[in-house]
Amino acid sequence: KELQGLDLQTGFFKYRQIKAATNNFDAANKLGEGGFGTVYKGILLDGSIIAVKKLSSRSKQGNREFVTEIGMISALQHPNLVRLYGCCIEGNQLFLVYEYMENNSLSRALFGSGEHRLTLDWPMRQNICVGIARGLAFLHEESTLKIVHRDIKTTNVLLDRDLNPKISDFGLAKLDEEENTHISTRVAGTIGYMAPEYALWGYLTYKADVYSFGVVALEIVAGKNNMKYRPNENYVCLLDWALVLQQRGNLMELVDPKLGSEFNKEEAVRMIKVALLCTNPSPALRPNMSAVVSMLKGQTAVHE
Ligand code: ACK
């Protein structure tokens, strides 16, 4: 798609256009603060809507290196990844230009207050969960870059007009990394979603994303935030509670009461079981994301 101000050859936007589109980064156009920077809504002269992320200032890495990486990341296209159109440099300030996602984040849809909360019925939740799994499977297994996202959570899943999920901020953690090793000194993740081996030792493999995905899947079924949910004084989070219910053979109790009786029991229990496989404390025992996709779709059995 051609966008006003974007040089398709280089992937660069003209600063003039970005500035005009966001009305000079007017606070009224601010969508929110994400990891790595502030996001603004912008409307280009041709009417297309974009989301502009103004990156917080970065320390060492030179702009040139950064731009090479951006070029590779923007080449990654998948229906479940937020499209990165290009970037823009003005002085030492860097901007990333993304497709605009009409329905904000999954976090808002599930846990938002009043006007922000959406009613997500069971088929929508199922579609969202499978979509996230597909996006991650692509990043891990199919993309040439083999990206580990490192910060999968409901705020990093955005919903388009039709409530299809797309993963945002992929590749950014990689850009932030100074050395290229498996043991990371800078852990980029969020409490409540981080795999234990990554949180404790900085040991990073794509199985860290599988763990985070499992937490997200549980949140989708339960309609509750992992860390904010305390079923009672004995259990501190949703995941703990799910493990207790699994032992009691009562996983259905986890399903969001807002769904009433309007959901597919078999699919719901399957989603919880897959989530629990994904959150296994041992990374080697977690499935990979393409196996998760086929389990979620009922194409392969869930081995407990
Ligand atoms: O739930 P939200 O409105 O959706 O709050 C966050 C906020 O910016 C910080 O990340 C929103 N956001 C991020 N990227 C986009 C995008 N491409 N389109 C629309 N909103 C976005 C996100």
PDB file of all heavy atoms in Angstrom, residues 31-34 39 51 53 82 98-101 104-105 108 155 158, ligand 1:
ATOM      1  N   LEU A  31      -2.051   8.151  21.883  1.00  0.00           N
ATOM      2  CA  LEU A  31      -2.785   6.903  22.126  1.00  0.00           C
ATOM      3  C   LEU A  31      -2.363   6.288  23.450  1.00  0.00           C
ATOM      4  O   LEU A  31      -3.136   5.595  24.094  1.00  0.00           O
ATOM      5  CB  LEU A  31      -2.536   5.908  20.994  1.00  0.00           C
ATOM      6  CG  LEU A  31      -3.141   6.261  19.641  1.00  0.00           C
ATOM      7  CD1 LEU A  31      -2.571   5.377  18.545  1.00  0.00           C
ATOM      8  CD2 LEU A  31      -4.656   6.131  19.699  1.00  0.00           C
ATOM      9  N   GLY A  32      -1.124   6.530  23.832  1.00  0.00           N
ATOM     10  CA  GLY A  32      -0.670   5.996  25.111  1.00  0.00           C
ATOM     11  C   GLY A  32       0.828   5.807  25.151  1.00  0.00           C
ATOM     12  O   GLY A  32       1.526   6.083  24.181  1.00  0.00           O
ATOM     13  N   GLU A  33       1.282   5.357  26.303  1.00  0.00           N
ATOM     14  CA  GLU A  33       2.704   5.066  26.483  1.00  0.00           C
ATOM     15  C   GLU A  33       2.901   3.561  26.332  1.00  0.00           C
ATOM     16  O   GLU A  33       2.253   2.786  27.017  1.00  0.00           O
ATOM     17  CB  GLU A  33       3.165   5.435  27.894  1.00  0.00           C
ATOM     18  CG  GLU A  33       3.033   6.895  28.270  1.00  0.00           C
ATOM     19  CD  GLU A  33       4.095   7.779  27.633  1.00  0.00           C
ATOM     20  OE1 GLU A  33       5.112   7.224  27.147  1.00  0.00           O
ATOM     21  OE2 GLU A  33       3.901   9.003  27.611  1.00  0.00           O
ATOM     22  N   GLY A  34       3.766   3.181  25.430  1.00  0.00           N
ATOM     23  CA  GLY A  34       4.063   1.759  25.321  1.00  0.00           C
ATOM     24  C   GLY A  34       5.462   1.508  25.839  1.00  0.00           C
ATOM     25  O   GLY A  34       6.143   2.444  26.248  1.00  0.00           O
ATOM     26  N   VAL A  39       3.013   6.623  21.860  1.00  0.00           N
ATOM     27  CA  VAL A  39       2.341   6.345  20.593  1.00  0.00           C
ATOM     28  C   VAL A  39       1.289   7.414  20.291  1.00  0.00           C
ATOM     29  O   VAL A  39       0.503   7.794  21.160  1.00  0.00           O
ATOM     30  CB  VAL A  39       1.654   4.958  20.621  1.00  0.00           C
ATOM     31  CG1 VAL A  39       1.121   4.592  19.243  1.00  0.00           C
ATOM     32  CG2 VAL A  39       2.613   3.885  21.118  1.00  0.00           C
ATOM     33  N   ALA A  51      -0.194   4.880  13.192  1.00  0.00           N
ATOM     34  CA  ALA A  51       0.195   5.046  14.595  1.00  0.00           C
ATOM     35  C   ALA A  51       1.700   5.320  14.590  1.00  0.00           C
ATOM     36  O   ALA A  51       2.462   4.579  13.974  1.00  0.00           O
ATOM     37  CB  ALA A  51      -0.128   3.789  15.385  1.00  0.00           C
ATOM     38  N   LYS A  53       5.106   5.801  16.726  1.00  0.00           N
ATOM     39  CA  LYS A  53       5.758   5.619  18.022  1.00  0.00           C
ATOM     40  C   LYS A  53       7.022   6.451  18.063  1.00  0.00           C
ATOM     41  O   LYS A  53       7.927   6.292  17.252  1.00  0.00           O
ATOM     42  CB  LYS A  53       6.078   4.144  18.249  1.00  0.00           C
ATOM     43  CG  LYS A  53       6.826   3.910  19.546  1.00  0.00           C
ATOM     44  CD  LYS A  53       6.885   2.448  19.921  1.00  0.00           C
ATOM     45  CE  LYS A  53       5.576   1.993  20.531  1.00  0.00           C
ATOM     46  NZ  LYS A  53       5.639   0.624  21.047  1.00  0.00           N
ATOM     47  N   VAL A  82       1.295  -6.620  13.885  1.00  0.00           N
ATOM     48  CA  VAL A  82       1.023  -5.227  13.532  1.00  0.00           C
ATOM     49  C   VAL A  82       2.049  -4.792  12.493  1.00  0.00           C
ATOM     50  O   VAL A  82       3.254  -4.926  12.700  1.00  0.00           O
ATOM     51  CB  VAL A  82       1.104  -4.288  14.766  1.00  0.00           C
ATOM     52  CG1 VAL A  82       0.920  -2.834  14.350  1.00  0.00           C
ATOM     53  CG2 VAL A  82       0.060  -4.669  15.799  1.00  0.00           C
ATOM     54  N   TYR A  98       3.438   2.680  12.268  1.00  0.00           N
ATOM     55  CA  TYR A  98       2.716   1.410  12.226  1.00  0.00           C
ATOM     56  C   TYR A  98       1.327   1.580  11.623  1.00  0.00           C
ATOM     57  O   TYR A  98       0.776   2.673  11.596  1.00  0.00           O
ATOM     58  CB  TYR A  98       2.507   0.890  13.655  1.00  0.00           C
ATOM     59  CG  TYR A  98       3.747   0.417  14.353  1.00  0.00           C
ATOM     60  CD1 TYR A  98       4.428   1.246  15.250  1.00  0.00           C
ATOM     61  CD2 TYR A  98       4.227  -0.875  14.147  1.00  0.00           C
ATOM     62  CE1 TYR A  98       5.558   0.805  15.920  1.00  0.00           C
ATOM     63  CE2 TYR A  98       5.354  -1.328  14.810  1.00  0.00           C
ATOM     64  CZ  TYR A  98       6.014  -0.487  15.700  1.00  0.00           C
ATOM     65  OH  TYR A  98       7.127  -0.936  16.352  1.00  0.00           O
ATOM     66  N   GLU A  99       0.747   0.469  11.232  1.00  0.00           N
ATOM     67  CA  GLU A  99      -0.666   0.501  10.859  1.00  0.00           C
ATOM     68  C   GLU A  99      -1.462   0.832  12.123  1.00  0.00           C
ATOM     69  O   GLU A  99      -1.074   0.485  13.244  1.00  0.00           O
ATOM     70  CB  GLU A  99      -1.123  -0.840  10.269  1.00  0.00           C
ATOM     71  CG  GLU A  99      -1.255  -1.964  11.269  1.00  0.00           C
ATOM     72  CD  GLU A  99      -1.830  -3.258  10.671  1.00  0.00           C
ATOM     73  OE1 GLU A  99      -2.931  -3.215  10.097  1.00  0.00           O
ATOM     74  OE2 GLU A  99      -1.159  -4.293  10.778  1.00  0.00           O
ATOM     75  N   TYR A 100      -2.569   1.514  11.921  1.00  0.00           N
ATOM     76  CA  TYR A 100      -3.407   1.910  13.051  1.00  0.00           C
ATOM     77  C   TYR A 100      -4.385   0.790  13.375  1.00  0.00           C
ATOM     78  O   TYR A 100      -5.002   0.208  12.488  1.00  0.00           O
ATOM     79  CB  TYR A 100      -4.179   3.186  12.693  1.00  0.00           C
ATOM     80  CG  TYR A 100      -5.104   3.632  13.786  1.00  0.00           C
ATOM     81  CD1 TYR A 100      -4.602   4.123  14.985  1.00  0.00           C
ATOM     82  CD2 TYR A 100      -6.486   3.552  13.630  1.00  0.00           C
ATOM     83  CE1 TYR A 100      -5.456   4.515  16.011  1.00  0.00           C
ATOM     84  CE2 TYR A 100      -7.338   3.945  14.645  1.00  0.00           C
ATOM     85  CZ  TYR A 100      -6.813   4.420  15.831  1.00  0.00           C
ATOM     86  OH  TYR A 100      -7.655   4.802  16.838  1.00  0.00           O
ATOM     87  N   MET A 101      -4.511   0.492  14.659  1.00  0.00           N
ATOM     88  CA  MET A 101      -5.415  -0.584  15.081  1.00  0.00           C
ATOM     89  C   MET A 101      -6.619   0.025  15.799  1.00  0.00           C
ATOM     90  O   MET A 101      -6.488   0.596  16.888  1.00  0.00           O
ATOM     91  CB  MET A 101      -4.656  -1.545  15.994  1.00  0.00           C
ATOM     92  CG  MET A 101      -3.466  -2.213  15.306  1.00  0.00           C
ATOM     93  SD  MET A 101      -3.953  -3.460  14.101  1.00  0.00           S
ATOM     94  CE  MET A 101      -4.413  -4.784  15.197  1.00  0.00           C
ATOM     95  N   ASN A 104      -7.760  -0.760  19.823  1.00  0.00           N
ATOM     96  CA  ASN A 104      -6.826  -0.708  20.949  1.00  0.00           C
ATOM     97  C   ASN A 104      -6.296  -2.080  21.345  1.00  0.00           C
ATOM     98  O   ASN A 104      -6.256  -2.982  20.536  1.00  0.00           O
ATOM     99  CB  ASN A 104      -7.449   0.005  22.148  1.00  0.00           C
ATOM    100  CG  ASN A 104      -7.995   1.354  21.788  1.00  0.00           C
ATOM    101  OD1 ASN A 104      -7.291   2.172  21.208  1.00  0.00           O
ATOM    102  ND2 ASN A 104      -9.256   1.585  22.070  1.00  0.00           N
ATOM    103  N   SER A 105      -5.917  -2.176  22.615  1.00  0.00           N
ATOM    104  CA  SER A 105      -5.259  -3.417  23.035  1.00  0.00           C
ATOM    105  C   SER A 105      -6.244  -4.437  23.593  1.00  0.00           C
ATOM    106  O   SER A 105      -7.339  -4.094  24.049  1.00  0.00           O
ATOM    107  CB  SER A 105      -4.187  -3.112  24.073  1.00  0.00           C
ATOM    108  OG  SER A 105      -4.796  -2.669  25.259  1.00  0.00           O
ATOM    109  N   ARG A 108      -7.225  -3.704  27.173  1.00  0.00           N
ATOM    110  CA  ARG A 108      -8.386  -2.818  27.347  1.00  0.00           C
ATOM    111  C   ARG A 108      -9.691  -3.545  27.098  1.00  0.00           C
ATOM    112  O   ARG A 108     -10.673  -3.348  27.806  1.00  0.00           O
ATOM    113  CB  ARG A 108      -8.311  -1.680  26.330  1.00  0.00           C
ATOM    114  CG  ARG A 108      -7.535  -0.526  26.806  1.00  0.00           C
ATOM    115  CD  ARG A 108      -8.225   0.710  26.298  1.00  0.00           C
ATOM    116  NE  ARG A 108      -7.253   1.698  25.893  1.00  0.00           N
ATOM    117  CZ  ARG A 108      -7.588   2.929  25.557  1.00  0.00           C
ATOM    118  NH1 ARG A 108      -8.846   3.289  25.526  1.00  0.00           N
ATOM    119  NH2 ARG A 108      -6.658   3.778  25.232  1.00  0.00           N
ATOM    120  N   THR A 155      -1.388  -6.226  26.751  1.00  0.00           N
ATOM    121  CA  THR A 155      -1.254  -4.848  26.259  1.00  0.00           C
ATOM    122  C   THR A 155      -0.460  -4.786  24.955  1.00  0.00           C
ATOM    123  O   THR A 155      -0.511  -3.785  24.246  1.00  0.00           O
ATOM    124  CB  THR A 155      -0.580  -3.915  27.294  1.00  0.00           C
ATOM    125  OG1 THR A 155       0.506  -4.602  27.882  1.00  0.00           O
ATOM    126  CG2 THR A 155      -1.539  -3.508  28.381  1.00  0.00           C
ATOM    127  N   LEU A 158      -2.885  -6.040  19.858  1.00  0.00           N
ATOM    128  CA  LEU A 158      -3.835  -5.006  19.445  1.00  0.00           C
ATOM    129  C   LEU A 158      -4.926  -5.628  18.586  1.00  0.00           C
ATOM    130  O   LEU A 158      -4.706  -6.663  17.944  1.00  0.00           O
ATOM    131  CB  LEU A 158      -3.108  -3.903  18.674  1.00  0.00           C
ATOM    132  CG  LEU A 158      -1.938  -3.229  19.412  1.00  0.00           C
ATOM    133  CD1 LEU A 158      -1.297  -2.156  18.538  1.00  0.00           C
ATOM    134  CD2 LEU A 158      -2.375  -2.633  20.742  1.00  0.00           C
TER     135      LEU A 158
HETATM  136  O1  ACK B   1      -4.918  -0.010  24.618  1.00  0.00           O
HETATM  137  P1  ACK B   1      -4.277   1.074  23.842  1.00  0.00           P
HETATM  138  O2  ACK B   1      -5.083   2.208  23.359  1.00  0.00           O
HETATM  139  O3  ACK B   1      -3.501   0.440  22.597  1.00  0.00           O
HETATM  140  O4  ACK B   1      -3.004   1.604  24.607  1.00  0.00           O
HETATM  141  C1  ACK B   1      -1.813   1.276  24.001  1.00  0.00           C
HETATM  142  C2  ACK B   1      -0.938   2.490  23.795  1.00  0.00           C
HETATM  143  O5  ACK B   1      -0.980   2.836  22.419  1.00  0.00           O
HETATM  144  C3  ACK B   1       0.517   2.246  24.162  1.00  0.00           C
HETATM  145  O6  ACK B   1       1.032   1.147  23.502  1.00  0.00           O
HETATM  146  C4  ACK B   1      -1.871   2.000  21.743  1.00  0.00           C
HETATM  147  N1  ACK B   1      -1.276   1.598  20.471  1.00  0.00           N
HETATM  148  C5  ACK B   1      -0.014   1.142  20.265  1.00  0.00           C
HETATM  149  N2  ACK B   1       0.179   0.868  18.983  1.00  0.00           N
HETATM  150  C6  ACK B   1      -0.991   1.154  18.337  1.00  0.00           C
HETATM  151  C7  ACK B   1      -1.427   1.049  16.980  1.00  0.00           C
HETATM  152  N3  ACK B   1      -0.616   0.578  16.028  1.00  0.00           N
HETATM  153  N4  ACK B   1      -2.692   1.422  16.692  1.00  0.00           N
HETATM  154  C8  ACK B   1      -3.515   1.853  17.663  1.00  0.00           C
HETATM  155  N5  ACK B   1      -3.161   1.975  18.957  1.00  0.00           N
HETATM  156  C9  ACK B   1      -1.916   1.618  19.286  1.00  0.00           C
HETATM  157  C10 ACK B   1      -2.125   0.797  22.613  1.00  0.00           C
END
